Amino acid sequence: MNRNQKIGLGVLGGVAGIVGVGVAGLQVRPPAVKLPAGPDWQASAEELPESLPAPVFRHLQQVMGRRHPYIRTAVLGAQARFRMGLWLPMRFVAYHVIGQHFIRDMDVTWFGYTVFSGEDRYVNGQGLMNIGGQISHGPEIDQGEAMAMWAEAALLFPSATINRPGVRWEAVNNTTAHLYFPVGSDEEMATVTFDPQTGFAQRFSCLRYKEVGQEKEPWHVLFKGWHKHEAMMLPSQIEVLWEREGSPWFKAEITDVSLNVDLSAKFPATS
């Protein structure tokens, strides 16, 4: 082996080592988000309406009880991964003024350290997506961010869809219901399917804009492994996929939740 071949092999070995270290950093999960406790969110409660479709009633009753607390705000902490060629680790904190406003702050990490941040938001009827400083907005983003907000809120917090103007459930069958809700001046619809054995929600499906200037596409959020977290039930894992892609591009595990906390500093200009 001549000198140039040895140098070439050495360079290749160095590059392989750097790549290996880089990939290893993507396997390290970020630290779990720990949220400050909120007030006693179980202090006030109201009966679930008997008029709800049967699968919706069963699901919501299991999530927080037949007499469910009125939830005004919620904060979710999660560890997650999303696919951009490689699976990238992230953590996020999602802030909800239930059924009205939503912000998700995201940190993409390497060896557990933040390498860039992003944000999803739907506030005062306007959406915004910021990934590493690349900002997208417009009517398609408004609609897309609203769908993300409703996919989380509608199935985790009963107050999101009960006695709220413009929001209604419609029965389809024993394991399916349609959810209608306002987005701007339009009415959107999602189809929610429920596990016939456990009664918990399995899938939230709707048409959502993927890109500015394109048509809506089928978009699905999957809820898996519902389990008890303090006095409520949460899914162990949430997966998100575009139907045309055929497999999830985003997977999240909710690690903490805080309810009825003061979010006025996070949403100072809401109306």
Side-chain angles (χ1 to χ4, degrees):
M1 182 180 295
N2 61 38
R3 180 174 179 273
N4 288 339
Q5 288 174 322
K6 291 179 179 178
I7 292 174
L9 286 175
V11 170
L12 288 174
V15 169
I18 293 171
V19 170
V21 170
V23 172
L26 300 178
Q27 308 309 308
V28 177
R29 300 182 75 189
V33 176
K34 184 62 179 174
L35 302 172
D40 180 9
W41 53 270
Q42 300 182 76
S44 62
E46 56 186 353
E47 291 281 341
L48 286 174
E50 296 283 353
S51 58
L52 287 170
V56 177
F57 187 97
R58 184 183 178 192
H59 166 79
L60 295 180
Q61 180 178 243
Q62 292 186 125
V63 169
M64 284 191 174
R66 189 183 184 97
R67 284 187 56 79
H68 71 94
Y70 186 76
I71 306 301
R72 300 180 303 278
T73 65
V75 184
L76 301 173
Q79 295 171 310
R81 296 184 299 148
F82 74 104
R83 178 166 43 82
M84 291 184 63
L86 295 173
W87 282 95
L88 304 181
M90 68 153 44
R91 59 176 167 247
F92 70 77
V93 180
Y95 304 86
H96 287 263
V97 177
I98 301 298
Q100 299 180 63
H101 314 294
F102 158 76
I103 294 175
R104 180 188 289 122
D105 293 332
M106 302 171 285
D107 292 322
V108 177
T109 62
W110 185 66
F111 282 111
Y113 295 95
T114 299
V115 292
F116 68 89
S117 299
E119 180 187 61
D120 286 322
R121 68 163 52 214
Y122 181 74
V123 177
N124 287 333
Q126 294 187 316
L128 180 143
M129 183 184 298
N130 179 356
I131 304 297
Q134 299 296 311
I135 296 175
S136 301
H137 56 83
E140 296 93 338
I141 303 300
D142 296 345
Q143 191 267 356
E145 295 299 324
M147 303 313 270
M149 177 186 76
W150 280 103
E152 279 187 15
L155 298 174
L156 301 184
F157 312 113
S159 303
T161 62
I162 296 175
N163 299 325
R164 188 172 295 278
V167 181
R168 59 190 170 90
W169 287 99
E170 181 181 272
V172 177
N173 55 41
N174 289 335
T175 59
T176 310
H178 291 322
L179 174 64
Y180 296 87
F181 48 90
V183 175
S185 59
D186 298 326
E187 182 179 67
E188 293 284 352
M189 187 269 285
T191 300
V192 181
T193 56
F194 301 85
D195 188 309
Q197 303 302 318
T198 68
F200 285 111
Q202 286 183 314
R203 181 187 294 247
F204 177 104
S205 301
C206 65
L207 294 175
R208 177 182 174 176
Y209 288 109
K210 185 177 183 181
E211 302 286 349
V212 173
Q214 296 185 3
E215 296 297 317
K216 294 177 184 177
E217 296 186 27
W219 180 75
H220 307 284
V221 182
L222 311 180
F223 299 86
K224 299 183 175 182
W226 289 83
H227 68 287
K228 190 160 189 176
H229 178 87
E230 297 180 357
M232 65 181 295
M233 300 292 288
L234 291 175
S236 298
Q237 188 163 12
I238 297 174
E239 299 182 355
V240 182
L241 70 150
W242 295 98
E243 186 172 291
R244 191 166 62 178
E245 295 180 359
S247 61
W249 65 271
F250 181 88
K251 299 181 179 182
E253 176 189 343
I254 298 174
T255 55
D256 203 5
V257 61
S258 188
L259 303 176
N260 285 345
V261 294
D262 182 3
L263 295 182
S264 57
K266 193 68 178 177
F267 298 93
T270 54
S271 59

